[in-house]
């Protein structure tokens, strides 16, 4: 069973033999299938786009925090370390029987968080609903993009989506 911090409530847990990349693709594919299932046949005007993003530090995936203490634990795990953000993208054209899926990865470094900053950030609520309890776009957060795409870090890797759209028939 996956650690509780790894998945959102109701999301399928990560399988024991599944890489983080395979896991986020599986979650994105499940989201796309759920949308496709509620659309009447042939009613989509364009492709369905679904994504799922997780952070990972030292091999431990970080999903969305359950509460403030969970957010504190995640932020302390990230403090002063590099981590990666992986997004699974699923693009399902209306005429295709199966979607196209791919992943994007970015590597970030977080500066050391002192107790005063940590308390301010937790009180701000900016951590709510964000994988790893932090957002690249958040005010004053000491995150530096080392490799990859900033748009991937915020959950929609625009460069990858553009490439996938260009491959559509």
């Amino acid at each position: 069973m996956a650690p509780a911090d790894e998945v959102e409530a109701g999301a399928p847990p990560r399988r024991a033999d599944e890489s983080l990349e395979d896991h986020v693709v599986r979650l994105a594919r499940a989201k796309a299938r759920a949308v496709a299932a509620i659309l009447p046949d042939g009613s989509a005007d364009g492709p369905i786009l679904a994504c799922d993003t997780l952070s990972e530090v030292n091999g431990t995936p970080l999903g969305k925090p359950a509460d403030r203490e969970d957010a504190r634990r995640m932020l302390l795990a990230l403090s002063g370390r590099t981590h990666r953000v992986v997004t699974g993208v699923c693009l399902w054209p209306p005429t295709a029987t199966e979607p196209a899926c791919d992943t994007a990865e970015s590597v970030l470094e977080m500066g050391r968080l002192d107790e005063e900053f940590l308390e301010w950030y937790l009180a701000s609520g900016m951590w709510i609903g964000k994988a790893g309890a932090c957002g690249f776009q958040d005010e004053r957060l000491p995150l530096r993009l080392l490799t990859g795409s900033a748009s991937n870090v915020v959950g929609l890797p625009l460069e990858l989506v553009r490439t996938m759209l260009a491959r559509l028939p």
Side-chain angles (χ1 to χ4, degrees), residues 10 12 17 37 44 48 57 90 92 105 109-111 121 131 148 151 154 157 163 168:
D17 62 342
I48 296 167
V57 62
C90 185
W92 200 336
E105 178 177 319
E109 178 179 64
M110 182 175 289
Y121 189 75
S151 65
V154 296
T163 299
L168 291 180

Side-chain angles (χ1 to χ4, degrees), residues 1-2 6-7 12-16 18-20 23 26 56 59 61:
M1 182 98 182
E6 182 180 333
V7 294
R14 185 168 167 194
R15 297 173 182 149
E18 189 173 47
S19 69
L20 185 63
H23 182 61
R26 184 166 57 90
E56 182 179 66

Side-chain angles (χ1 to χ4, degrees), residues 29 33 36 91-100:
R29 185 185 303 257
R33 284 191 194 283
L91 187 64
W92 200 336
T95 57
T97 55
E98 283 297 315

Side-chain angles (χ1 to χ4, degrees), residues 72 76 79 111-120 142:
R72 172 187 290 281
L76 288 172
S79 179
R112 294 221 176 265
L113 303 177
D114 63 30
E115 189 60 30
E116 181 181 344
F117 179 85
L118 187 58
E119 284 305 313
W120 172 83

Side-chain angles (χ1 to χ4, degrees), residues 145-157:
L145 182 64
L146 301 177
T147 64
S149 160
S151 65
N152 175 52
V153 178
V154 296
L156 182 61

Side-chain angles (χ1 to χ4, degrees), residues 44-73:
D45 292 335
I48 296 167
L49 174 65
C51 300
D52 205 277
T53 303
L54 287 174
S55 298
E56 182 179 66
V57 62
N58 295 332
T60 301
L62 302 173
K64 295 176 183 175
D67 55 29
R68 185 180 168 122
E69 283 311 305
D70 197 26
R72 172 187 290 281
R73 181 190 58 75

